[in-house]
């Protein structure tokens, strides 16, 4: 059915791309990834010295070709070590012949990146009056917004291939001229006469075309949690009043406001006591003492699964041993939750906004002392607290020295004595601030409350403060919001020494799975930990972040919160700093090895051979084995008679798999059926992963509908559905609650 034979070369580090090369062993080298495409079989050969980015990009490309161009009707095999994959190597030798010479050494990735940048050029084809203009507009890295729907474009991949992209609104003359100009490139640039010219229509781009762009998003495809991508527009962060209802729909607002969620999750607090974690009484949550260290575990739901944030709150007067123990216990708590939590190091007095919000306006910071039952120091007879904030999401109460000079006309203060608790309201405070102060006063003191206005203080008030004294009384103006540009740095020791390299105009693709990345958003420092980062890079990242703050020419605050984020578990206040964040890029946080294992044990295929003439996979020794029921993919791709019920295969995780053959230890395919293979539509439509019947692959819910239900819902057969482009399939699945 697919008369295809081609070899794709996947190379690069920061800008990984694929190029079609000669179908020969001479094209291979030791340091890159090569994808052998035989129509119904895609074999990824990983060179012994290739990097994780190339492996991941190769697998992503293979899956994109399988799902987008083959309707899921192809099998993917991975070769990491040749001697461990004799059956896949047999197929490669059948396609390429025997290999008679040693593999070449690779071109360095950095040099390859430069060559790719120089070799990929985008031209704009448009009408200017009666004239047709062909103008070069960009080189690699290309961005999707360069493509104009009213015109045509030519993408020259350095002579390997020339693409003609035809915009939906372009004129017939432009389309015709663009193709003829592309053909003219072959002669004008001295390319081989065999250079392929491929026509690409707007909205139906192939995987090979899309991968030449830095980021590709389908129109109307949701980004993150509900944000719809509009081609040609980039999210602009506006300074607006924070509305928590918009949090998930506008990740850029979550980043600007430093909020991971709406602060409605579960809070648990421990105090470090005798270097161990001691639970804090829930009724005292929000009260922190400067002589202690605390661990706060915050749990919230995103996409119906729990996510975690661990806050390490370090008191100003805590001992060095307690600070060290706090970090150690945070690591243990992190491991308990599968190394998924975000870790935030909080210095007393520099609490981030989300930390304030989770305590609902009841965050009270005592300058010294401890919350332990065995207190060694008596509580002061007089204490003064400054209350700042207008609501439960932004209010913080801080103990200040109990003297008149600590007062400020713009705020509300609580003066706690053994007889009474005064609420002192400065002339510049607001009604909201006064209401929040009343709430906090009930926590700080059980004594009678007395509200006094500035200028009407009784003598006992000044007596408790040690007498009158000058204090700040000038009106506090709203500080203009500073808009600092975020900066991204790569932290790596791959050269033998630990270095930090800045990446300009960064995007999600610049987050390197091999390394630790530092994102500076001014109010916070994020450390993004890649799945394949080594232990040395992880251990050096926090000291390097501190040194970065210390040596910053702007004289940065050394108490700036440092937030540790794990690959695949990024919170909204991190992802919002990236223009178009793809939550599925790392397949829910899975590493390359985990993605590979999800394909099944394809390295042990012993039951298939390849017919290179038509690139079909045929079952070998079929009479030796009972014929299993067909998979949804095989049923929809013309493998024999389509049964009434489509039967998925079970893979090692209990999920259906249509893209690989899963084998047991002796190489025999596991083909146990899952019941009758179909489920009532009520069990599949608008169901979360946890609510689906056992064995149902959540990414292929529609497979488990009966043929009758499928036609009733989609208005077409399964075979017709899988002939559609992938983006159309996804849109229809979203409309019917099966995405």
């Amino acid at each position: 059915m697919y008369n295809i034979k081609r070899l794709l070369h996947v190379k690069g580090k920061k800008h990984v791309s694929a190029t079609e090369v000669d179908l020969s062993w001479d094209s291979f080298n030791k340091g890159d990834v090569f994808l052998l495409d035989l129509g119904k079989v895609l074999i990824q050969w990983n060179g012994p010295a290739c990097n994780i980015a190339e492996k991941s990009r190769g697998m992503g490309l293979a899956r994109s070709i399988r799902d987008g161009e083959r309707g899921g009707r192809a099998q993917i095999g991975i070769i990491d070590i040749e001697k461990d994959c004799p059956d896949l190597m047999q197929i490669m030798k059948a396609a390429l012949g025997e290999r008679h010479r040693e593999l070449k050494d690779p071109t360095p990735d950095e040099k390859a990146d430069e060559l790719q940048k120089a070799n990929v050029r985008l031209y704009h084809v448009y009408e200017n009056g009666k004239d047709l203009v062909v103008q070069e507009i960009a080189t690699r890295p290309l961005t999707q917004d360069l493509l104009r729907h009213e015109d045509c474009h030519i993408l020259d991949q350095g002579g390997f291939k020339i693409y003609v992209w035809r915009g939906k609104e372009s004129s017939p003359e432009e389309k015709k001229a663009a193709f003829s100009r592309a053909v003219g490139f072959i002669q004008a640039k001295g390319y081989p006469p065999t250079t392929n010219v491929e026509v690409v229509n707007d909205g139906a781009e192939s995987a090979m075309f899309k991968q030449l762009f830095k980021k590709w998003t389908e129109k109307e495809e949701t980004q993150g949690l509900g944000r719809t991508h509009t081609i040609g527009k980039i999210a602009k962060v506006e300074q607006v009043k924070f509305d928590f209802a918009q949090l998930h729909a506008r990740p850029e607002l979550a980043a600007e406001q430093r909020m991971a969620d709406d602060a409605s999750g579960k809070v648990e607090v421990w105090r470090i006591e005798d270097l161990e974690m001691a639970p804090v009484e829930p009724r005292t949550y929000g009260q922190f003492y400067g002589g202690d260290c605390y661990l706060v575990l915050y749990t919230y739901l995103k996409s119906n699964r729990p996510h975690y944030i661990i806050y390490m709150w370090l008191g100003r007067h805590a001992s060095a041993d307690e600070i060290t123990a706090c970090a150690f216990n945070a690591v243990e708590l992190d491991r308990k939750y599968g190394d998924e939590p975000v870790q935030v190091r909080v210095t007393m007095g520099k609490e981030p906004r989300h930390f304030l919000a989770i305590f609902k306006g009841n965050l009270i910071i005592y300058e010294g002392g401890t919350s332990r039952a065995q207190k060694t120091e008596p509580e002061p007879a007089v204490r003064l607290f400054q209350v700042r904030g207008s609501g439960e999401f932004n209010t913080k109460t801080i103990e200040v020295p109990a003297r008149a000079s600590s007062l400020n006309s713009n705020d509300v203060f609580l003066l706690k004595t053994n007889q009474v608790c005064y609420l002192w309201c400065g002339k510049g405070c607001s009604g909201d601030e006064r209401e929040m102060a009343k709430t906090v006063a009930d926590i700080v003191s059980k004594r009678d409350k007395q509200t006094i206005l500035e200028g009407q203080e009784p003598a006992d008030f000044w007596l408790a403060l040690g007498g009158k004294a000058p204090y700040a009384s000038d009106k506090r103006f709203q500080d203009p919001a500073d808009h600092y540009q975020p900066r991204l740095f790569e932290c790596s020791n791959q050269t033998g020494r630990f270095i930090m390299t800045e990446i300009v105009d960064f995007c999600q693709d610049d987050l390197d799975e091999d390394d630790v990345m530092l994102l500076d958003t001014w109010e916070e420092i994020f450390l993004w930990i890649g799945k394949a980062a080594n232990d040395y890079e992880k251990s050096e990242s926090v000291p390097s972040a501190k040194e970065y703050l210390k040596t910053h020419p702007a004289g940065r605050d050394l108490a700036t919160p440092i937030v540790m984020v794990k690959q695949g578990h990024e919170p909204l206040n991190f992802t919002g700093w990236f223009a178009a964040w793809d939550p599925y890029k790392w397949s829910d946080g899975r590493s390359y090895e985990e993605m590979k294992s999800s394909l099944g044990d394809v390295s042990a295929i012993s039951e298939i051979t390849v017919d290179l003439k038509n690139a079909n996979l045929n079952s070998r020794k079929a009479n030796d084995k009972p014929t299993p029921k067909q998979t949804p993919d095989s049923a929809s791709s013309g493998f024999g008679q389509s049964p009434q019920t489509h039967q998925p295969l079970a893979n090692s995780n209990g999920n259906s798999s249509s893209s690989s053959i899963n084998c047991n230890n002796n190489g025999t395919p596991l083909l146990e059926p899952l019941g009758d293979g179909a489920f009532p539509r009520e069990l599949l439509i608008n169901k979360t992963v946890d609510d689906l019947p056992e064995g149902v692959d959540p990414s292929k819910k529609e497979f488990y509908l009966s043929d009758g239900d499928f036609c009733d819902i989609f208005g077409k057969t399964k075979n017709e559905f899988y002939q559609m482009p992938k983006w159309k399939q996804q849109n229809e699945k979203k409309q019917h609650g099966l995405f």
Side-chain angles (χ1 to χ4, degrees), residues 635-656:
S636 63
S637 58
F639 277 52
Q641 183 71 25
S642 175
Q644 176 67 23
T645 300
H646 293 266
Q647 179 64 51
L649 299 179
N651 69 12
S652 57
N653 298 321
N655 297 329
S656 68

Side-chain angles (χ1 to χ4, degrees), residues 153-174:
H153 293 269
I154 297 173
L155 197 159
D156 180 6
Q157 198 180 357
F160 292 107
K161 180 177 276 190
I162 297 175
Y163 294 92
V164 177
W165 184 87
R166 305 194 301 190
K168 292 179 179 178
E169 302 167 18
S170 60
S171 67
E173 292 75 17
E174 287 174 333

Side-chain angles (χ1 to χ4, degrees), residues 67 89 128 394 561:
D67 298 335
M89 285 303 299
N128 185 8
N394 64 0

Side-chain angles (χ1 to χ4, degrees), residues 78-364:
I78 309 291
I79 300 176
D80 276 315
I81 302 174
E82 289 186 353
K83 63 183 179 62
D84 294 341
C85 310
D87 300 292
L88 293 177
M89 285 303 299
Q90 183 180 355
I91 297 174
M92 290 194 69
K93 289 175 182 177
L96 302 169
E98 291 290 336
R99 191 168 68 210
H100 300 293
R101 65 184 71 177
E102 187 75 13
L103 291 171
K104 298 180 293 187
D105 290 327
T107 306
D109 288 326
E110 291 75 13
K111 184 176 179 181
D113 284 342
E114 289 302 314
L115 290 173
Q116 290 170 1
K117 183 176 179 179
N119 286 340
V120 178
R121 298 180 181 277
L122 183 67
Y123 297 84
H124 183 197
V125 182
Y126 61 98
E127 293 176 329
N128 185 8
K130 294 183 178 181
D131 299 325
L132 189 78
V133 179
V134 179
Q135 178 184 9
E136 181 179 337
I137 56 173
T139 58
R140 187 177 177 85
L142 303 177
T143 55
Q144 187 180 357
D145 57 0
L146 292 169
L147 301 175
R148 300 168 63 93
H149 300 286
E150 62 272 19
D151 297 320
C152 293
H153 293 269
I154 297 173
L155 197 159
D156 180 6
Q157 198 180 357
F160 292 107
K161 180 177 276 190
I162 297 175
Y163 294 92
V164 177
W165 184 87
R166 305 194 301 190
K168 292 179 179 178
E169 302 167 18
S170 60
S171 67
E173 292 75 17
E174 287 174 333
K175 293 176 181 176
K176 183 177 180 180
F179 183 81
S180 62
R181 293 296 177 93
V183 173
F185 272 26
I186 297 175
Q187 184 175 1
K189 296 197 173 187
Y191 294 154
T194 55
T195 300
N196 185 21
V197 177
E198 180 177 318
V199 176
V200 178
N201 289 318
D202 187 356
E205 295 85 357
S206 65
M208 284 295 291
F209 180 81
K210 294 176 188 175
Q211 61 89 31
L212 292 171
F213 290 77
K214 193 170 185 178
K215 175 68 184 173
W216 189 278
T217 311
E218 303 293 354
K219 189 176 182 182
E220 303 305 328
E221 177 183 345
T222 56
Q223 294 295 317
L225 298 175
R227 188 175 83 195
T228 302
H229 171 78
T230 304
I231 293 177
K233 295 183 180 179
I234 297 177
K236 181 181 179 182
V237 177
E238 300 174 356
Q239 189 66 21
V240 297
K241 181 175 175 61
F242 191 59
D243 177 5
F244 285 98
Q246 299 185 44
L247 185 65
H248 294 296
R250 296 184 59 194
E252 75 280 3
L253 185 59
E256 185 75 4
Q257 298 293 334
R258 270 76 179 178
M259 294 293 290
D261 78 328
D262 62 1
S264 62
K266 177 184 176 184
V267 178
E268 298 171 82
V269 184
W270 295 267
R271 180 181 54 255
I272 302 302
E273 193 170 321
D274 297 326
L275 308 185
E276 300 290 337
M277 293 168 57
V280 172
E281 183 67 33
R283 63 183 176 82
T284 65
Y285 280 4
Q287 299 178 47
F288 294 84
Y289 289 78
D292 289 330
C293 290
Y294 298 84
L295 282 176
V296 178
L297 175 65
Y298 179 75
T299 306
Y300 65 103
L301 292 178
K302 187 171 82 170
S303 299
N304 293 309
R305 63 184 293 263
H307 287 68
Y308 310 96
I309 301 175
I310 297 173
Y311 288 103
M312 294 171 278
W313 190 90
L314 310 177
R316 186 177 293 121
H317 307 293
S319 68
D321 287 344
E322 287 176 326
I323 293 174
T324 302
C326 187
F328 176 79
N329 282 283
V331 172
E332 292 300 311
L333 190 60
D334 185 87
R335 288 175 181 164
K336 179 181 177 181
Y337 290 94
D339 292 325
E340 292 186 9
V342 172
Q343 294 184 34
V344 186
R345 184 179 184 272
V346 180
T347 302
M348 176 177 170
K350 293 294 179 180
E351 293 76 17
R353 302 181 201 181
H354 186 259
F355 189 80
L356 271 61
I358 65 176
F359 292 106
K360 306 295 187 291
N362 296 328
L363 179 62
I364 304 169

